[in-house]
Amino acid sequence: VQLQASGGGLVQAGGSLRLSCAASGPTFSRYAVDWFRQAPGKEREFVAGIRRSGISTYYSESAKGRFTVSRDLAKNTIYLQMNSLKPEDTAVYYCAAKLSGSAQYGSWGQGTQVTVSS
């Protein structure tokens, strides 16, 4: 499966963005998808994830209450709705897919830049 992340941009603190992760391939419904981010000089960190059912979701402590991950099976797309953005959310955001039950990510998107100004 191939992934294409998009939706990043420049936003003021307190604003919102919605990231998209579009997948190609007929078996995408078998994959769980996680969002990661990496800020300059920092390690990549987990942000949010959604299981293949689209029902179970998971969030980092920093994302809880502000970010929402969702899945549109018909469109083969995963969304990350980010509200109440803070300058510390500035990073390149990546989506990654792995077969349900697997520990390895089989595919990564190319990343989309999110910049939050204060």
Side-chain angles (χ1 to χ4, degrees), residues 4-7 18-22 35 77-80 95 112:
Q4 179 80 27
S6 62
R18 188 178 79 160
L19 306 184
S20 299
C21 178
W35 285 95
T77 301
I78 305 293
Y79 301 101
L80 183 66
C95 54
T112 185

Coordinates of all heavy atoms in Angstrom, one line a residue, residues 4-7 18-22 35 77-80 95 112:
Q4 N -0.1 8.8 0.9 CA 0.1 10.2 0.5 C -0.5 11.1 1.5 O -1.7 11.2 1.7 CB -0.5 10.5 -0.9 CG -0.3 11.9 -1.4 CD 1.0 12.2 -2.0 OE1 1.7 11.2 -2.5 NE2 1.5 13.4 -1.9
A5 N 0.4 11.8 2.3 CA -0.1 12.7 3.3 C -0.2 14.1 2.8 O 0.6 14.5 2.0 CB 0.9 12.7 4.5
S6 N -1.2 14.8 3.2 CA -1.4 16.2 2.8 C -2.2 17.0 3.9 O -2.7 16.4 4.8 CB -2.2 16.2 1.5 OG -3.4 15.7 1.6
G7 N -2.3 18.3 3.6 CA -3.1 19.1 4.5 C -2.4 20.0 5.5 O -3.0 20.8 6.2
R18 N -6.7 20.0 9.2 CA -7.1 18.6 9.0 C -6.1 18.0 8.0 O -6.0 18.4 6.9 CB -8.5 18.5 8.5 CG -8.9 17.0 8.5 CD -10.3 16.8 8.0 NE -10.5 16.9 6.6 CZ -11.5 16.3 5.9 NH1 -12.5 15.7 6.5 NH2 -11.6 16.5 4.6
L19 N -5.4 17.0 8.5 CA -4.4 16.3 7.7 C -5.1 15.1 7.1 O -6.0 14.5 7.7 CB -3.2 15.8 8.5 CG -2.5 16.9 9.3 CD1 -1.2 16.2 9.9 CD2 -2.1 18.0 8.4
S20 N -4.7 14.7 5.9 CA -5.3 13.6 5.2 C -4.1 12.6 4.9 O -3.0 13.0 4.6 CB -6.0 13.9 3.9 OG -7.1 14.8 4.2
C21 N -4.5 11.3 4.9 CA -3.5 10.3 4.5 C -4.3 9.4 3.5 O -5.1 8.5 3.9 CB -3.0 9.5 5.7 SG -1.9 8.1 5.3
A22 N -4.0 9.6 2.2 CA -4.7 8.8 1.2 C -3.9 7.6 0.8 O -2.7 7.7 0.6 CB -5.0 9.7 0.0
W35 N -0.4 8.1 13.1 CA 0.2 9.3 12.7 C 1.4 9.6 13.7 O 1.3 9.4 14.9 CB -0.8 10.5 12.9 CG -1.8 10.6 11.8 CD1 -3.1 10.0 11.8 CD2 -1.6 11.2 10.6 NE1 -3.7 10.3 10.7 CE2 -2.9 11.1 9.9 CE3 -0.6 12.0 10.0 CZ2 -3.1 11.6 8.6 CZ3 -0.8 12.5 8.7 CH2 -2.0 12.3 8.0
T77 N -9.0 6.7 3.1 CA -8.3 7.9 3.6 C -8.5 7.9 5.1 O -9.5 7.6 5.7 CB -8.9 9.2 3.0 OG1 -8.7 9.1 1.6 CG2 -8.2 10.4 3.5
I78 N -7.4 8.3 5.7 CA -7.3 8.5 7.2 C -7.2 10.0 7.4 O -6.4 10.7 6.7 CB -6.1 7.8 7.8 CG1 -6.2 6.3 7.5 CG2 -6.1 8.1 9.3 CD1 -7.3 5.6 8.1
Y79 N -7.9 10.6 8.4 CA -7.8 12.0 8.7 C -7.3 12.2 10.1 O -7.5 11.4 11.0 CB -9.2 12.6 8.6 CG -9.8 12.5 7.2 CD1 -10.8 11.5 7.0 CD2 -9.4 13.3 6.1 CE1 -11.4 11.4 5.7 CE2 -10.0 13.2 4.9 CZ -11.0 12.2 4.7 OH -11.5 12.1 3.4
L80 N -6.6 13.3 10.3 CA -6.2 13.8 11.6 C -6.7 15.2 11.7 O -6.1 16.1 11.2 CB -4.7 13.7 11.8 CG -4.2 14.0 13.2 CD1 -4.7 13.0 14.2 CD2 -2.7 14.1 13.2
C95 N 2.1 9.7 8.2 CA 1.2 8.6 8.4 C 1.9 7.3 8.0 O 2.8 7.3 7.2 CB -0.1 8.7 7.7 SG 0.0 8.9 5.9
T112 N 4.0 15.8 5.9 CA 3.4 17.1 5.6 C 3.8 18.1 6.7 O 3.6 17.7 7.9 CB 1.9 17.0 5.3 OG1 1.4 18.3 4.9 CG2 1.1 16.5 6.5

